[in-house]
Amino acid sequence: MLNKFRLRKKQNTSSTLRDKIEQVKKAAVPEHVAIIMDGNGRWAKKRALPRIAGHHEGMKVVRKTTKLANELGIKTLTLYAFSTENWKRPKNEVEYIMKLPDEFLGTFLPELIKENVQVKMMGYKDQLPIHTLRAIEKAIEETKNNNGLVLNFALNYGSRSEILDAVKQVLNDCNKGIIKETELDEKAFSSYLMTANFTDPDLLIRTSGEMRLSNFMLWQLAYSEFWFSDVLWPDFSEDHLLEAIEAFQKRQRRYGGI
Ligand code: FPP
């Protein structure tokens, strides 16, 4: 009896989710969603678990979020997994986070391939441990012909360094005559950033109640809609993503106009 009740409850939940997905798909979904996945440490602390347990749980949420984003027809999902400042964390935590791409892709790459997801990465590759880089590069290679959702990991990414490097490259190209100062407009400058082949995010989500950008896509987020939630990343569910998109669909984007 109890089992029957539980089963019925589960079926109801998933059909409600399905209805919500269909509802959200009726209006325009954001083309590019970027997420600052915050709150893993606090999630673990609340449960008297080590911080790394929060990161592991957070990894599972990456899978769920990717699946739903793909199903909704979002074109690009950029996830802030590790910043250039995160190296300041305890060694064991950094080492653990750097193993997550191996575990995630080791487990889910076949699923990502099947679901037509294309894996990409933006960030400074040079400082990444070789095992992390290998896992990512294998995934990039094996999904390069897919044309569904682009799952873009921001790993060892920092926006100020990205902008500075772009400026240096522009100066270099100016000196060599590859580009003239008069040709340097916003579009041309964007092509020097790590996001050269991406559209700017339409929607930025940050979890855990923090309301700052933490050196994330400072140039690219100039006209994005922001959605903040108190929910900690490991608790971020399909419903939360749908809620964020519904909120986005109600916004009026004016890009400085009226
Ligand atoms: C911020 O929470 C989270 C991170 C720095 C790591 C994010 C990584 C994941 C969610 C897993 C990534 C998965 C893959 C596949 C790369 P925090 O630790 O700062 O949390 P706190 O503010 O509560 O301490």
Side-chain angles (χ1 to χ4, degrees), residues 37-42 51 55 81 86 89 100-101 104 153 233:
M37 311 179 286
D38 197 9
N40 293 348
R42 277 164 282 168
R51 293 177 53 82
H55 295 314
N86 284 151
R89 293 184 176 217
L100 287 178
F104 179 79
F153 286 110
W233 177 251

